[in-house]
Amino acid sequence: MDEHFLKYFEEQLTIKEIAAKKILLNEGEMAKNMFFVEKGCLRTWFLRDGIEFTFQFVFENQFISSFESLWTNQPSLYTIESLESCTLKVISKKDFQIMFNTNPIVRDEFNNYLIARLFHYQKLFVARISEKPETRYLQLIKTHPEILKRIPQHYIASYLGITPVSLSRIRNRIIS
């Protein structure tokens, strides 16, 4: 699901400019919008025992929302925060649902997007419990080098499920 998908929503889209470090949705709130990232980077994270756990980074030409909240009317399980200043195209929940219910192409593309997202999360989950942190870091370098260029190290460490000190040690071993 990418920018060509937006053509179905042209009349309903609004543009939103946000600064870095702004919260679009707090954990526990109800999602009311979907966002398409035209420029910038966001992350999704949740807080447990005072520790932030990052589990997704979103860049240009990607959608972001708490889709589970949007779809089920349940509170969001995570926070969505900008890491850079962003230009977003915003689609309201109501407008999206109307299009989803009346346009089979939108419904099919969104369903395919959700399936791809599920597979991505499954891979992350399996990697988290079956691979060593160094292996996860090397895989990140291989598959998502943009993350290493644009994301602060402490968020990368959180994403990998390790401390910033452990990430520093891994990076030093790889560079040596």
PDB file of all heavy atoms in Angstrom, residues 140-169:
ATOM      1  N   LEU A 140      19.392  -5.957  10.236  1.00  0.00           N
ATOM      2  CA  LEU A 140      18.905  -4.586  10.097  1.00  0.00           C
ATOM      3  C   LEU A 140      19.768  -3.800   9.114  1.00  0.00           C
ATOM      4  O   LEU A 140      19.246  -3.070   8.258  1.00  0.00           O
ATOM      5  CB  LEU A 140      18.883  -3.901  11.463  1.00  0.00           C
ATOM      6  CG  LEU A 140      18.316  -2.492  11.517  1.00  0.00           C
ATOM      7  CD1 LEU A 140      16.831  -2.503  11.192  1.00  0.00           C
ATOM      8  CD2 LEU A 140      18.553  -1.890  12.893  1.00  0.00           C
ATOM      9  N   ILE A 141      21.081  -3.955   9.217  1.00  0.00           N
ATOM     10  CA  ILE A 141      22.004  -3.293   8.288  1.00  0.00           C
ATOM     11  C   ILE A 141      21.695  -3.714   6.851  1.00  0.00           C
ATOM     12  O   ILE A 141      21.654  -2.895   5.942  1.00  0.00           O
ATOM     13  CB  ILE A 141      23.472  -3.636   8.631  1.00  0.00           C
ATOM     14  CG1 ILE A 141      23.876  -2.992   9.949  1.00  0.00           C
ATOM     15  CG2 ILE A 141      24.411  -3.220   7.512  1.00  0.00           C
ATOM     16  CD1 ILE A 141      25.221  -3.482  10.469  1.00  0.00           C
ATOM     17  N   LYS A 142      21.454  -4.991   6.677  1.00  0.00           N
ATOM     18  CA  LYS A 142      21.223  -5.548   5.340  1.00  0.00           C
ATOM     19  C   LYS A 142      19.873  -5.121   4.759  1.00  0.00           C
ATOM     20  O   LYS A 142      19.786  -4.758   3.584  1.00  0.00           O
ATOM     21  CB  LYS A 142      21.297  -7.068   5.430  1.00  0.00           C
ATOM     22  CG  LYS A 142      21.086  -7.798   4.137  1.00  0.00           C
ATOM     23  CD  LYS A 142      21.183  -9.296   4.363  1.00  0.00           C
ATOM     24  CE  LYS A 142      20.807 -10.074   3.124  1.00  0.00           C
ATOM     25  NZ  LYS A 142      20.788 -11.519   3.379  1.00  0.00           N
ATOM     26  N   THR A 143      18.835  -5.169   5.565  1.00  0.00           N
ATOM     27  CA  THR A 143      17.488  -4.965   5.032  1.00  0.00           C
ATOM     28  C   THR A 143      16.978  -3.530   5.147  1.00  0.00           C
ATOM     29  O   THR A 143      16.120  -3.123   4.369  1.00  0.00           O
ATOM     30  CB  THR A 143      16.474  -5.897   5.711  1.00  0.00           C
ATOM     31  OG1 THR A 143      16.475  -5.647   7.114  1.00  0.00           O
ATOM     32  CG2 THR A 143      16.790  -7.351   5.418  1.00  0.00           C
ATOM     33  N   HIS A 144      17.466  -2.761   6.118  1.00  0.00           N
ATOM     34  CA  HIS A 144      16.956  -1.409   6.341  1.00  0.00           C
ATOM     35  C   HIS A 144      18.079  -0.429   6.674  1.00  0.00           C
ATOM     36  O   HIS A 144      18.102   0.153   7.761  1.00  0.00           O
ATOM     37  CB  HIS A 144      15.916  -1.401   7.461  1.00  0.00           C
ATOM     38  CG  HIS A 144      14.719  -2.226   7.175  1.00  0.00           C
ATOM     39  ND1 HIS A 144      13.778  -1.872   6.225  1.00  0.00           N
ATOM     40  CD2 HIS A 144      14.304  -3.405   7.685  1.00  0.00           C
ATOM     41  CE1 HIS A 144      12.838  -2.789   6.183  1.00  0.00           C
ATOM     42  NE2 HIS A 144      13.134  -3.730   7.040  1.00  0.00           N
ATOM     43  N   PRO A 145      19.005  -0.225   5.755  1.00  0.00           N
ATOM     44  CA  PRO A 145      20.128   0.678   6.051  1.00  0.00           C
ATOM     45  C   PRO A 145      19.691   2.112   6.340  1.00  0.00           C
ATOM     46  O   PRO A 145      20.388   2.842   7.031  1.00  0.00           O
ATOM     47  CB  PRO A 145      21.000   0.589   4.794  1.00  0.00           C
ATOM     48  CG  PRO A 145      20.079   0.108   3.722  1.00  0.00           C
ATOM     49  CD  PRO A 145      19.063  -0.756   4.402  1.00  0.00           C
ATOM     50  N   GLU A 146      18.512   2.509   5.834  1.00  0.00           N
ATOM     51  CA  GLU A 146      18.024   3.863   6.092  1.00  0.00           C
ATOM     52  C   GLU A 146      17.802   4.112   7.583  1.00  0.00           C
ATOM     53  O   GLU A 146      17.943   5.239   8.058  1.00  0.00           O
ATOM     54  CB  GLU A 146      16.747   4.156   5.295  1.00  0.00           C
ATOM     55  CG  GLU A 146      15.488   3.453   5.765  1.00  0.00           C
ATOM     56  CD  GLU A 146      15.321   2.000   5.305  1.00  0.00           C
ATOM     57  OE1 GLU A 146      16.242   1.426   4.700  1.00  0.00           O
ATOM     58  OE2 GLU A 146      14.260   1.434   5.570  1.00  0.00           O
ATOM     59  N   ILE A 147      17.466   3.065   8.318  1.00  0.00           N
ATOM     60  CA  ILE A 147      17.268   3.206   9.759  1.00  0.00           C
ATOM     61  C   ILE A 147      18.569   3.646  10.426  1.00  0.00           C
ATOM     62  O   ILE A 147      18.574   4.538  11.263  1.00  0.00           O
ATOM     63  CB  ILE A 147      16.731   1.891  10.372  1.00  0.00           C
ATOM     64  CG1 ILE A 147      15.281   1.672   9.926  1.00  0.00           C
ATOM     65  CG2 ILE A 147      16.840   1.897  11.891  1.00  0.00           C
ATOM     66  CD1 ILE A 147      14.666   0.367  10.373  1.00  0.00           C
ATOM     67  N   LEU A 148      19.673   3.047  10.019  1.00  0.00           N
ATOM     68  CA  LEU A 148      20.954   3.384  10.630  1.00  0.00           C
ATOM     69  C   LEU A 148      21.379   4.811  10.317  1.00  0.00           C
ATOM     70  O   LEU A 148      22.107   5.428  11.102  1.00  0.00           O
ATOM     71  CB  LEU A 148      22.026   2.401  10.168  1.00  0.00           C
ATOM     72  CG  LEU A 148      21.720   0.933  10.490  1.00  0.00           C
ATOM     73  CD1 LEU A 148      22.754   0.024   9.853  1.00  0.00           C
ATOM     74  CD2 LEU A 148      21.647   0.715  11.985  1.00  0.00           C
ATOM     75  N   LYS A 149      20.946   5.342   9.193  1.00  0.00           N
ATOM     76  CA  LYS A 149      21.328   6.691   8.784  1.00  0.00           C
ATOM     77  C   LYS A 149      20.467   7.765   9.453  1.00  0.00           C
ATOM     78  O   LYS A 149      20.924   8.877   9.643  1.00  0.00           O
ATOM     79  CB  LYS A 149      21.217   6.835   7.265  1.00  0.00           C
ATOM     80  CG  LYS A 149      22.196   5.967   6.506  1.00  0.00           C
ATOM     81  CD  LYS A 149      21.951   6.065   5.011  1.00  0.00           C
ATOM     82  CE  LYS A 149      22.849   5.080   4.276  1.00  0.00           C
ATOM     83  NZ  LYS A 149      22.486   4.942   2.873  1.00  0.00           N
ATOM     84  N   ARG A 150      19.226   7.427   9.788  1.00  0.00           N
ATOM     85  CA  ARG A 150      18.278   8.469  10.212  1.00  0.00           C
ATOM     86  C   ARG A 150      17.799   8.353  11.657  1.00  0.00           C
ATOM     87  O   ARG A 150      17.200   9.300  12.160  1.00  0.00           O
ATOM     88  CB  ARG A 150      17.066   8.438   9.283  1.00  0.00           C
ATOM     89  CG  ARG A 150      17.425   8.851   7.866  1.00  0.00           C
ATOM     90  CD  ARG A 150      16.276   8.708   6.917  1.00  0.00           C
ATOM     91  NE  ARG A 150      15.183   9.623   7.178  1.00  0.00           N
ATOM     92  CZ  ARG A 150      14.085   9.670   6.423  1.00  0.00           C
ATOM     93  NH1 ARG A 150      13.950   8.854   5.394  1.00  0.00           N
ATOM     94  NH2 ARG A 150      13.131  10.522   6.704  1.00  0.00           N
ATOM     95  N   ILE A 151      18.029   7.230  12.280  1.00  0.00           N
ATOM     96  CA  ILE A 151      17.451   6.991  13.599  1.00  0.00           C
ATOM     97  C   ILE A 151      18.537   7.065  14.678  1.00  0.00           C
ATOM     98  O   ILE A 151      19.589   6.446  14.530  1.00  0.00           O
ATOM     99  CB  ILE A 151      16.776   5.601  13.642  1.00  0.00           C
ATOM    100  CG1 ILE A 151      15.743   5.447  12.517  1.00  0.00           C
ATOM    101  CG2 ILE A 151      16.164   5.323  15.009  1.00  0.00           C
ATOM    102  CD1 ILE A 151      14.578   6.382  12.600  1.00  0.00           C
ATOM    103  N   PRO A 152      18.282   7.783  15.775  1.00  0.00           N
ATOM    104  CA  PRO A 152      19.249   7.814  16.875  1.00  0.00           C
ATOM    105  C   PRO A 152      19.511   6.404  17.436  1.00  0.00           C
ATOM    106  O   PRO A 152      18.615   5.558  17.467  1.00  0.00           O
ATOM    107  CB  PRO A 152      18.569   8.696  17.922  1.00  0.00           C
ATOM    108  CG  PRO A 152      17.627   9.565  17.138  1.00  0.00           C
ATOM    109  CD  PRO A 152      17.146   8.688  16.004  1.00  0.00           C
ATOM    110  N   GLN A 153      20.735   6.184  17.873  1.00  0.00           N
ATOM    111  CA  GLN A 153      21.181   4.863  18.327  1.00  0.00           C
ATOM    112  C   GLN A 153      20.330   4.304  19.474  1.00  0.00           C
ATOM    113  O   GLN A 153      20.078   3.102  19.517  1.00  0.00           O
ATOM    114  CB  GLN A 153      22.651   4.909  18.744  1.00  0.00           C
ATOM    115  CG  GLN A 153      23.599   5.203  17.594  1.00  0.00           C
ATOM    116  CD  GLN A 153      23.539   4.137  16.517  1.00  0.00           C
ATOM    117  OE1 GLN A 153      23.710   2.952  16.786  1.00  0.00           O
ATOM    118  NE2 GLN A 153      23.294   4.556  15.282  1.00  0.00           N
ATOM    119  N   HIS A 154      19.886   5.143  20.402  1.00  0.00           N
ATOM    120  CA  HIS A 154      19.104   4.609  21.524  1.00  0.00           C
ATOM    121  C   HIS A 154      17.756   4.053  21.069  1.00  0.00           C
ATOM    122  O   HIS A 154      17.243   3.108  21.657  1.00  0.00           O
ATOM    123  CB  HIS A 154      18.959   5.634  22.655  1.00  0.00           C
ATOM    124  CG  HIS A 154      18.197   6.862  22.306  1.00  0.00           C
ATOM    125  ND1 HIS A 154      18.701   7.878  21.523  1.00  0.00           N
ATOM    126  CD2 HIS A 154      16.945   7.243  22.643  1.00  0.00           C
ATOM    127  CE1 HIS A 154      17.808   8.831  21.403  1.00  0.00           C
ATOM    128  NE2 HIS A 154      16.731   8.467  22.060  1.00  0.00           N
ATOM    129  N   TYR A 155      17.185   4.596  19.987  1.00  0.00           N
ATOM    130  CA  TYR A 155      15.949   4.033  19.444  1.00  0.00           C
ATOM    131  C   TYR A 155      16.229   2.732  18.687  1.00  0.00           C
ATOM    132  O   TYR A 155      15.419   1.801  18.724  1.00  0.00           O
ATOM    133  CB  TYR A 155      15.244   5.023  18.523  1.00  0.00           C
ATOM    134  CG  TYR A 155      14.712   6.244  19.220  1.00  0.00           C
ATOM    135  CD1 TYR A 155      14.823   7.490  18.637  1.00  0.00           C
ATOM    136  CD2 TYR A 155      14.090   6.168  20.463  1.00  0.00           C
ATOM    137  CE1 TYR A 155      14.329   8.630  19.260  1.00  0.00           C
ATOM    138  CE2 TYR A 155      13.601   7.296  21.100  1.00  0.00           C
ATOM    139  CZ  TYR A 155      13.726   8.524  20.481  1.00  0.00           C
ATOM    140  OH  TYR A 155      13.235   9.638  21.112  1.00  0.00           O
ATOM    141  N   ILE A 156      17.354   2.670  18.011  1.00  0.00           N
ATOM    142  CA  ILE A 156      17.735   1.421  17.330  1.00  0.00           C
ATOM    143  C   ILE A 156      17.943   0.319  18.362  1.00  0.00           C
ATOM    144  O   ILE A 156      17.483  -0.809  18.179  1.00  0.00           O
ATOM    145  CB  ILE A 156      18.991   1.619  16.458  1.00  0.00           C
ATOM    146  CG1 ILE A 156      18.675   2.563  15.291  1.00  0.00           C
ATOM    147  CG2 ILE A 156      19.504   0.277  15.933  1.00  0.00           C
ATOM    148  CD1 ILE A 156      19.874   2.977  14.469  1.00  0.00           C
ATOM    149  N   ALA A 157      18.615   0.647  19.455  1.00  0.00           N
ATOM    150  CA  ALA A 157      18.822  -0.340  20.524  1.00  0.00           C
ATOM    151  C   ALA A 157      17.475  -0.830  21.060  1.00  0.00           C
ATOM    152  O   ALA A 157      17.262  -2.039  21.229  1.00  0.00           O
ATOM    153  CB  ALA A 157      19.664   0.266  21.641  1.00  0.00           C
ATOM    154  N   SER A 158      16.560   0.092  21.299  1.00  0.00           N
ATOM    155  CA  SER A 158      15.232  -0.270  21.784  1.00  0.00           C
ATOM    156  C   SER A 158      14.523  -1.181  20.791  1.00  0.00           C
ATOM    157  O   SER A 158      13.893  -2.174  21.171  1.00  0.00           O
ATOM    158  CB  SER A 158      14.412   1.006  22.016  1.00  0.00           C
ATOM    159  OG  SER A 158      13.069   0.707  22.299  1.00  0.00           O
ATOM    160  N   TYR A 159      14.626  -0.869  19.513  1.00  0.00           N
ATOM    161  CA  TYR A 159      14.019  -1.669  18.458  1.00  0.00           C
ATOM    162  C   TYR A 159      14.592  -3.086  18.435  1.00  0.00           C
ATOM    163  O   TYR A 159      13.879  -4.062  18.211  1.00  0.00           O
ATOM    164  CB  TYR A 159      14.249  -0.967  17.118  1.00  0.00           C
ATOM    165  CG  TYR A 159      13.738  -1.711  15.914  1.00  0.00           C
ATOM    166  CD1 TYR A 159      12.381  -1.742  15.617  1.00  0.00           C
ATOM    167  CD2 TYR A 159      14.611  -2.348  15.041  1.00  0.00           C
ATOM    168  CE1 TYR A 159      11.910  -2.401  14.496  1.00  0.00           C
ATOM    169  CE2 TYR A 159      14.147  -3.007  13.922  1.00  0.00           C
ATOM    170  CZ  TYR A 159      12.797  -3.026  13.654  1.00  0.00           C
ATOM    171  OH  TYR A 159      12.335  -3.690  12.543  1.00  0.00           O
ATOM    172  N   LEU A 160      15.894  -3.196  18.689  1.00  0.00           N
ATOM    173  CA  LEU A 160      16.550  -4.510  18.691  1.00  0.00           C
ATOM    174  C   LEU A 160      16.358  -5.260  20.010  1.00  0.00           C
ATOM    175  O   LEU A 160      16.741  -6.421  20.123  1.00  0.00           O
ATOM    176  CB  LEU A 160      18.049  -4.342  18.401  1.00  0.00           C
ATOM    177  CG  LEU A 160      18.395  -3.839  17.004  1.00  0.00           C
ATOM    178  CD1 LEU A 160      19.874  -3.490  16.917  1.00  0.00           C
ATOM    179  CD2 LEU A 160      18.016  -4.866  15.947  1.00  0.00           C
ATOM    180  N   GLY A 161      15.803  -4.593  20.995  1.00  0.00           N
ATOM    181  CA  GLY A 161      15.566  -5.233  22.287  1.00  0.00           C
ATOM    182  C   GLY A 161      16.814  -5.323  23.148  1.00  0.00           C
ATOM    183  O   GLY A 161      16.947  -6.248  23.947  1.00  0.00           O
ATOM    184  N   ILE A 162      17.715  -4.353  22.987  1.00  0.00           N
ATOM    185  CA  ILE A 162      18.960  -4.339  23.755  1.00  0.00           C
ATOM    186  C   ILE A 162      19.192  -2.938  24.312  1.00  0.00           C
ATOM    187  O   ILE A 162      18.500  -1.985  23.932  1.00  0.00           O
ATOM    188  CB  ILE A 162      20.171  -4.786  22.902  1.00  0.00           C
ATOM    189  CG1 ILE A 162      20.337  -3.878  21.676  1.00  0.00           C
ATOM    190  CG2 ILE A 162      20.004  -6.242  22.466  1.00  0.00           C
ATOM    191  CD1 ILE A 162      21.539  -4.196  20.800  1.00  0.00           C
ATOM    192  N   THR A 163      20.184  -2.809  25.176  1.00  0.00           N
ATOM    193  CA  THR A 163      20.521  -1.501  25.713  1.00  0.00           C
ATOM    194  C   THR A 163      21.415  -0.749  24.731  1.00  0.00           C
ATOM    195  O   THR A 163      22.083  -1.370  23.892  1.00  0.00           O
ATOM    196  CB  THR A 163      21.259  -1.631  27.058  1.00  0.00           C
ATOM    197  OG1 THR A 163      22.537  -2.249  26.814  1.00  0.00           O
ATOM    198  CG2 THR A 163      20.449  -2.443  28.065  1.00  0.00           C
ATOM    199  N   PRO A 164      21.481   0.569  24.851  1.00  0.00           N
ATOM    200  CA  PRO A 164      22.411   1.329  24.004  1.00  0.00           C
ATOM    201  C   PRO A 164      23.870   0.896  24.195  1.00  0.00           C
ATOM    202  O   PRO A 164      24.642   0.883  23.235  1.00  0.00           O
ATOM    203  CB  PRO A 164      22.193   2.780  24.447  1.00  0.00           C
ATOM    204  CG  PRO A 164      20.779   2.802  24.938  1.00  0.00           C
ATOM    205  CD  PRO A 164      20.589   1.463  25.602  1.00  0.00           C
ATOM    206  N   VAL A 165      24.237   0.508  25.397  1.00  0.00           N
ATOM    207  CA  VAL A 165      25.604   0.035  25.657  1.00  0.00           C
ATOM    208  C   VAL A 165      25.865  -1.261  24.885  1.00  0.00           C
ATOM    209  O   VAL A 165      26.917  -1.418  24.251  1.00  0.00           O
ATOM    210  CB  VAL A 165      25.843  -0.155  27.167  1.00  0.00           C
ATOM    211  CG1 VAL A 165      27.177  -0.851  27.436  1.00  0.00           C
ATOM    212  CG2 VAL A 165      25.788   1.182  27.894  1.00  0.00           C
ATOM    213  N   SER A 166      24.918  -2.172  24.901  1.00  0.00           N
ATOM    214  CA  SER A 166      25.073  -3.421  24.148  1.00  0.00           C
ATOM    215  C   SER A 166      25.178  -3.150  22.656  1.00  0.00           C
ATOM    216  O   SER A 166      25.992  -3.772  21.963  1.00  0.00           O
ATOM    217  CB  SER A 166      23.893  -4.362  24.405  1.00  0.00           C
ATOM    218  OG  SER A 166      23.889  -4.799  25.740  1.00  0.00           O
ATOM    219  N   LEU A 167      24.381  -2.220  22.154  1.00  0.00           N
ATOM    220  CA  LEU A 167      24.458  -1.874  20.731  1.00  0.00           C
ATOM    221  C   LEU A 167      25.830  -1.304  20.402  1.00  0.00           C
ATOM    222  O   LEU A 167      26.420  -1.658  19.376  1.00  0.00           O
ATOM    223  CB  LEU A 167      23.360  -0.880  20.352  1.00  0.00           C
ATOM    224  CG  LEU A 167      23.385  -0.399  18.894  1.00  0.00           C
ATOM    225  CD1 LEU A 167      23.291  -1.562  17.915  1.00  0.00           C
ATOM    226  CD2 LEU A 167      22.269   0.604  18.663  1.00  0.00           C
ATOM    227  N   SER A 168      26.341  -0.463  21.254  1.00  0.00           N
ATOM    228  CA  SER A 168      27.672   0.107  21.034  1.00  0.00           C
ATOM    229  C   SER A 168      28.744  -0.998  20.959  1.00  0.00           C
ATOM    230  O   SER A 168      29.621  -0.958  20.094  1.00  0.00           O
ATOM    231  CB  SER A 168      27.992   1.110  22.140  1.00  0.00           C
ATOM    232  OG  SER A 168      29.259   1.658  21.945  1.00  0.00           O
ATOM    233  N   ARG A 169      28.653  -1.964  21.833  1.00  0.00           N
ATOM    234  CA  ARG A 169      29.602  -3.084  21.835  1.00  0.00           C
ATOM    235  C   ARG A 169      29.488  -3.904  20.540  1.00  0.00           C
ATOM    236  O   ARG A 169      30.493  -4.297  19.949  1.00  0.00           O
ATOM    237  CB  ARG A 169      29.385  -3.977  23.052  1.00  0.00           C
ATOM    238  CG  ARG A 169      29.823  -3.339  24.332  1.00  0.00           C
ATOM    239  CD  ARG A 169      29.599  -4.267  25.518  1.00  0.00           C
ATOM    240  NE  ARG A 169      29.947  -3.575  26.746  1.00  0.00           N
ATOM    241  CZ  ARG A 169      29.293  -3.678  27.884  1.00  0.00           C
ATOM    242  NH1 ARG A 169      28.234  -4.479  27.961  1.00  0.00           N
ATOM    243  NH2 ARG A 169      29.676  -3.021  28.932  1.00  0.00           N
TER     244      ARG A 169
END
